[in-house]
Amino acid sequence: MRLLDILQMNVSYERCVGCELITSDGRRILDFNSGYCVHNAGHNHPGIKAALRAELDGDGPAMLQSNVSDLAGELAARLCERAGGGLTKVFFGSSGSEGVETVIKFARAHTGRAAMLSAEGGFHGLTCGALSLMSDRFWKDGFGPLLPDVELVTFGDLDQLSARLASRRFAALVIEPIQVEGGLRIPSRDYLQQARELCRRYGTLFVLDEVQTAFYRTGPFLAAHHFGVEPDMVVLAKALSGGLIPVGAVLMSDAICNSVYSSFRRAIVHTSTYSENALAMRAGLASLDALESERLGERAARLGDYFRSRLSERLSGFEMIRDVRGVGMLAGIEFQAPKRLRLRVPFQAFARIHPAMFGQVLVMRLFRDHGMLTQICGNNFMVLKVAPPLIVSEAQLDEFVAAIGAIVELLHGGGGFWSEALGLARRVIGSI
Ligand SMILES: Cc1ncc(COP(=O)(O)O)c(C=O)c1O
């Protein structure tokens, strides 16, 4: 709460529909964060709400844990069919981190190996197992010891990956196909394809964490489909929920599933109370219906290209803009330290107070002055992430381009932007 106060973003939201968030004092905010890629179908989608209401009104078996849930079967079949490859079984949970924990256990059971491999800069969740797969000390400090036997490789470095995998010690390689919180880092097609092959060669499961990238965010159902790779397991969450009922899923092969539930004795060896609850399953089915009937993947691909070309056009030539990149409706604007002394001095002063301060001032100004909700990447504070609901209109994207253009101009003009930032710095120091 204090952080939101300092950023002047502690507002009370009253009504959220589509891309628009209306505050209790009547302001309209456009959501360009989507709850970190949850609201792909838009806030409070009417179809998803209606499906949930009907489910409640049906008085069906919401939570028995002693039955075979038809709804879970239906949702699992649809997810596996969309994902393709050899993915035929699904374990449902309630979050992305729970999915990553599931992957760790299932990969160990399947391979008989204990060690896990992941990539530096990734984000996999904040439970102890998932946190162990992350490199950034910011998230880990004070919570150790975490899982032993976890190693990290440089994202994109095949030689390093090959050398580690050759030890044949690793149960799984867990990576995001596009590192989202790492700063919208998009690997080459060759990297992911060869990583897949190396895993196969050395008996390591190739696991994709698609918690932010799935559900048509990048165009196709999975970002994996961009790169032509077939993972052994995929972790899904966020947008599967329609933004209304928590749900996560791990997709896997029959063989991996059978290694865990290998006998009557082990039939319930991995479960979770809310795993297949009817509202979560219904939310998943209705979200897929909404995303697919409105062809939001195609829309994300088409409007995403339009958006990035408009952004690049507007932001080119500014010395603090390093790159505009992304796939589908997932974009990153990367900033860099200025060269001109007049800008470099205040920039470095703020970086010394807190490395995220510069990015937070951008987020604050976008929110306060232009009514745009965004965030900087959790593991790369110099990248502003832009991920609106996939139903965003061309006019709303144009509004964003105008807003960030105005801020970037202000930033390069010196004066106003930096004195504002100084005010923020004072508030941070005053609150410590
Ligand atoms: C790529 C990725 N994996 C896993 C997680 C963890 O998901 P959750 O917060 O639902 O536990 C996140 C959360 O942001 C994520 O971005």
Side-chain angles (χ1 to χ4, degrees):
M1 193 185 78
R2 273 166 58 207
L3 180 61
L4 284 175
D5 280 342
I6 285 172
L7 295 174
Q8 300 171 53
M9 291 172 70
N10 189 10
V11 300
S12 155
Y13 294 101
E14 212 162 74
R15 216 179 120 68
C16 305
V17 177
C19 292
E20 291 192 348
L21 316 173
I22 309 297
T23 65
S24 54
D25 56 2
R27 280 185 76 201
R28 183 202 69 150
I29 309 289
L30 283 181
D31 185 0
F32 275 83
N33 187 42
S34 304
Y36 297 85
C37 298
V38 167
H39 297 286
N40 286 11
H43 288 262
N44 288 306
H45 188 283
I48 305 175
K49 283 195 313 187
L52 290 173
R53 282 201 192 99
E55 186 59 42
L56 276 176
D57 289 344
D59 292 330
M63 288 276 314
L64 290 180
Q65 285 213 88
S66 310
N67 66 332
V68 176
S69 159
D70 290 347
L71 282 180
E74 206 184 313
L75 181 56
R78 271 179 77 178
L79 291 173
C80 289
E81 197 258 316
R82 298 299 183 276
L87 302 169
T88 48
K89 288 281 194 297
V90 179
F91 180 83
F92 289 106
S94 303
S95 70
S97 329
E98 191 183 350
V100 175
E101 300 296 331
T102 302
V103 159
I104 295 171
K105 288 177 71 179
F106 281 49
R108 285 177 162 181
H110 185 67
T111 60
R113 299 174 180 178
M116 300 294 297
L117 196 58
S118 60
E120 278 160 16
F123 192 98
H124 298 293
L126 302 181
T127 51
C128 281
L131 195 52
S132 307
L133 305 183
M134 289 167 44
S135 55
D136 201 318
R137 298 229 61 84
F138 170 78
W139 304 106
K140 295 166 83 162
D141 278 354
F143 298 117
L146 298 174
L147 277 189
D149 241 356
V150 175
E151 291 185 28
L152 291 115
V153 286
T154 307
F155 192 56
D157 185 335
L158 279 169
D159 292 340
Q160 213 187 86
L161 181 63
S162 176
R164 295 289 173 88
L165 289 174
S167 68
R168 297 182 188 268
R169 290 196 322 108
F170 296 98
L173 168 69
V174 181
I175 50 173
E176 294 165 84
I178 295 170
Q179 285 194 337
V180 181
E181 295 307 320
L184 261 295
R185 295 172 72 199
I186 306 168
S188 68
R189 197 177 159 82
D190 183 57
Y191 172 69
L192 281 186
Q193 291 196 347
Q194 294 218 38
R196 158 68 289 179
E197 275 321 300
L198 286 167
C199 283
R200 194 170 277 139
R201 184 182 312 160
Y202 294 116
T204 295
L205 296 178
F206 179 70
V207 180
L208 290 182
D209 177 342
E210 293 240 18
V211 166
Q212 287 208 52
T213 49
F215 298 107
Y216 306 101
R217 169 60 57 189
T218 68
F221 178 66
L222 296 179
H225 298 154
H226 266 300
F227 299 96
V229 284
E230 292 184 349
D232 293 306
M233 287 197 259
V234 181
V235 186
L236 304 174
K238 294 203 189 270
L240 178 58
S241 70
L244 292 165
I245 306 285
V247 53
V250 179
L251 278 53
M252 66 191 86
S253 63
D254 276 7
I256 294 172
C257 183
N258 292 341
S259 328
V260 173
Y261 306 109
S262 53
S263 64
F264 281 119
R265 196 176 65 82
R266 289 177 63 84
I268 54 165
V269 78
H270 184 76
T271 63
S272 180
T273 299
Y274 291 100
S275 174
E276 295 174 356
N277 79 83
L279 283 181
M281 300 300 99
R282 188 55 80 191
L285 286 164
S287 299
L288 285 176
D289 285 344
L291 293 164
E292 288 167 5
S293 65
E294 293 170 34
R295 304 170 86 90
L296 293 183
E298 288 163 36
R299 188 185 169 86
R302 183 169 45 82
L303 281 186
D305 285 346
Y306 166 80
F307 182 45
R308 272 185 301 284
S309 75
R310 290 285 329 273
L311 276 175
S312 302
E313 219 172 84
R314 180 68 182 90
L315 301 180
S316 74
F318 287 104
E319 67 167 293
M320 287 190 71
I321 298 293
R322 182 167 184 175
D323 193 20
V324 173
R325 57 176 173 268
V327 191
M329 204 46 81
L330 188 57
I333 303 171
E334 182 167 9
F335 290 80
Q336 62 189 354
K339 293 193 182 65
R340 270 184 297 160
L341 194 64
R342 193 165 65 87
L343 301 178
R344 209 171 64 219
V345 170
F347 176 85
Q348 285 172 347
F350 294 122
R352 272 195 298 275
I353 296 168
H354 194 289
M357 178 143 313
F358 168 74
Q360 287 302 353
V361 178
L362 290 176
V363 169
M364 179 182 86
R365 290 205 79 124
L366 273 167
F367 187 84
R368 192 195 60 194
D369 302 348
H370 300 274
M372 305 277 167
L373 181 61
T374 54
Q375 250 315 334
I376 48 173
C377 292
N379 288 343
N380 188 340
F381 301 144
M382 291 300 276
V383 179
L384 183 75
K385 189 174 69 168
V386 197
L390 309 185
I391 53 157
V392 67
S393 69
E394 207 171 293
Q396 288 166 330
L397 293 172
D398 291 344
E399 254 189 81
F400 182 87
V401 174
I404 190 72
I407 288 177
V408 167
E409 231 162 67
L410 196 69
L411 171 66
H412 286 79
F417 180 90
W418 298 101
S419 56
E420 176 79 52
L422 192 64
L424 178 71
R426 283 207 191 94
R427 290 199 292 280
V428 169
I429 291 164
S431 77
I432 294 170

